[in-house]
Amino acid sequence: MAKKSGLSAEDVVDLRSQLDEGSQPMVWFTAAAVGMEEGRSAKLLAVTDPPEGDFIQVRPTGSKDEMSFSPAELTLEKPPPRKKPATPPPAQPEPPRETEVVHPYLPEAPVKPAAPKPKPAPAPAEQAPAKPAARKQSAKTTFPEVTITLVTTGEGEWAVEVLQGTRRTVRPTPVPPAQVAQAAKLLTPEVSEIVEGVLNAARAQQLARVEQLRAELEAAQKALEELGA
């Protein structure tokens, strides 16, 4: 069987796109795959990020294990169907042994037994190729890192964004301050204290603004009364 080349960078990008679309494409193992027979198929499960080491997760056909491999150990080239081994020719029967005939009128001579013909030595049994060491299954499945960030503008407004690995999955989205305060209380006391301090500062700022607007409204009302309205 000809050796299959591994996955190129373009192949990895195309496979990642197919996973994002909800499909699970098939790949095949190359001769470089440790613990796997060359040409065996597998279903693609995930392509982790960043692409370092064995970052392509697959499930070999006929197995329930999830295993990780590098691009050099996988290929998109489907191997040709295997040829059936040729049937060996039937064994030829041994020729009959020769026996010595004694004439009835001659004294009997000792019959020498025919020397047995040496049997052909059996062909040495073909030794099965040593199986490569089985790949150690990873103790746990790796998942991309998720980062959740809360941002405040300093005026009492909050926004949240989510990064999955290096990809932004949730863009900055406004969040009510009351929900931020409720979520902070479920976290550590340090986080709750910091968030509560920011909310108190925003309350004080808004209260000062309300007092300023109230004073301006009273001054305008007084000026209006002086004009005789």
Side-chain angles (χ1 to χ4, degrees), residues 20-217:
D20 292 339
E21 293 174 358
S23 63
Q24 291 181 312
M26 298 295 295
V27 294
W28 289 265
F29 293 107
T30 66
V34 179
M36 287 295 165
E37 181 183 0
E38 181 183 5
R40 183 178 179 181
S41 61
K43 181 178 292 185
L44 185 66
L45 300 179
V47 179
T48 60
D49 196 10
E52 296 178 357
D54 299 343
F55 64 95
I56 303 177
Q57 297 180 4
V58 300
R59 179 183 293 116
T61 301
S63 173
K64 296 182 180 179
D65 296 334
E66 297 181 5
M67 308 175 72
S68 298
F69 293 87
S70 64
E73 298 175 290
L74 301 171
T75 181
L76 294 177
E77 300 178 16
K78 183 177 181 181
R82 297 184 179 181
K83 296 181 179 180
K84 295 183 179 179
T87 305
Q92 297 293 334
E94 294 185 3
R97 296 180 179 181
E98 296 181 358
T99 57
E100 186 176 352
V101 179
V102 180
H103 197 277
Y105 300 101
L106 296 179
E108 295 183 359
V111 178
K112 296 182 180 179
K117 293 185 177 181
K119 295 183 179 180
E126 296 183 358
Q127 295 183 354
K131 295 183 179 180
R135 174 181 292 270
K136 294 183 179 179
Q137 186 177 357
S138 55
K140 60 180 181 179
T141 304
T142 56
F143 295 95
E145 181 181 358
V146 177
T147 304
I148 302 175
T149 306
L150 281 172
V151 181
T152 178
T153 61
E155 298 180 357
E157 297 179 356
W158 291 79
V160 62
E161 65 176 352
V162 178
L163 295 177
Q164 190 170 6
T166 58
R167 184 177 59 179
R168 178 180 294 174
T169 55
V170 177
R171 298 184 178 277
T173 304
V175 180
Q179 294 184 5
V180 175
Q182 184 177 3
K185 291 179 180 179
L186 300 177
L187 301 176
T188 61
E190 292 80 2
V191 175
S192 178
E193 182 179 355
I194 293 174
V195 173
E196 188 64 26
V198 175
L199 291 176
N200 289 337
R203 294 190 192 98
Q205 183 179 2
Q206 294 298 330
L207 183 59
R209 185 178 179 185
V210 169
E211 294 296 334
Q212 180 182 358
L213 292 175
R214 183 179 291 123
E216 291 178 359
L217 179 60

Side-chain angles (χ1 to χ4, degrees), residues 2-19:
K3 293 184 178 180
K4 302 295 187 298
S5 58
L7 297 175
S8 63
E10 291 77 8
D11 294 336
V12 175
V13 172
D14 182 63
L15 291 174
R16 192 192 301 271
S17 300
Q18 295 184 47
L19 287 173

